Amino acid sequence: MVLDTNRAFGCVKIDIRRERCLACGTCVRICPAEVLNVREGVLVAEPERGVGCLACGQCVCVCPRDAIEVSGRDLTRADAVLPDGERADYPHLRRLLLGRRSVRRFRDEPVSSEDVDRILEAAATAPMGFPPSHVGVLVARDRERVQQLRRDLLPGVRGMRKVMRALRPLHGLMLGREAAQGFRRFIMPIAQSYEDHDARGEDVFFYDAPLALHFYGRALADPADPVIAATLAMVAAEALGLGTCVLGFPGPLLRQSAKLRRKYGLPEKIQPGMCLAIGHPAVKFGRAIRRRFVEIRAVA
Ligand SMILES: Cc1cc2nc3c(=O)[nH]c(=O)nc-3n(C[C@H](O)[C@H](O)[C@H](O)COP(=O)(O)O)c2cc1C
């Protein structure tokens, strides 16, 4: 059997370079699909066994002799690369993460296309479910395009407020008591503020950012997939000296609007995912803020 998705059909090709393979079994132990075996001292690949080879590439990465090549399901031989330089260590990462703040004031300076590519390359390393990924990215690469996206999204905010105002007595039934309260006290006022600021020519939706990246999932994605990718994009942008702000509104609005999905070439069915406003911070953050989880419970 081969696990088909709307992007991955058919069988993967697993080439074993016999002259290099020692049949050590490292790839067998690591393979999540159990399509590799050592039989009578010889490595055997059965890419159609069980759920079939997913082209995760783990066997290629662990082989001490570089004896395996996998291609298919969006994986090519050229994708097996050596990570360059030294592995980032915890102190560096901690400094980066602790120093990050949501940025809502950006300098009037574009984000270079090289940096956009770097952010996307880093985000694409996210564990977005079994490959090939079902996560897409809508890129608004300059301020004009970000503003165009904002102008396109604002009518959806207005529509949402109108519908939700009309359905007010049913909020509790529709959303549950707590979520309904959150909606009334948090989401609705924010939605209102987008419109109020817009009337004054101010952008509190994308904060005049010179770049917006919206990570969405196609129908078969898990809702977490685009969020994980967006989170890595946020960290990558931070590493490049840029600032980011997570934006929760664009996703549901794009999912709702067939007209906008058509305009921006998005698939018919998408998961809301997560959007990032990105740019050069206008303000320097001198201090970090420690944050904590609501609770950490141990399994007794
Ligand atoms: C799902 C989600 C949606 C968010 N949407 C917005 C938003 O629309 N506008 C905004 O200014 N911040 C938004 N944020 C950012 C949070 O407000 C931010 O995480 C919070 O202010 C904490 O600030 P810090 O990043 O500086 O710690 C969102 C965060 C999440 C997780």
Side-chain angles (χ1 to χ4, degrees), residues 119 122-124 126 128 135-137 213-216 224-237 244-247 273-276 278:
I119 293 168
M128 302 178 276
V135 174
V137 191
L213 298 179
H214 179 62
F215 295 79
Y216 60 88
D225 295 346
V227 177
I228 293 169
T231 308
L232 293 200
M234 183 178 71
V235 176
T244 64
C245 188
V246 170
L247 306 175
M274 189 177 269
C275 190
L276 295 177
I278 305 178

Side-chain angles (χ1 to χ4, degrees), residues 100-102 104 190 194 204-205 207 245-249 274 291:
R100 184 203 61 79
R101 297 269 59 80
S102 289
R104 298 183 177 90
I190 288 179
Y194 289 158
V204 292
F205 195 102
Y207 302 109
C245 188
V246 170
L247 306 175
F249 270 85
M274 189 177 269
R291 298 230 194 267

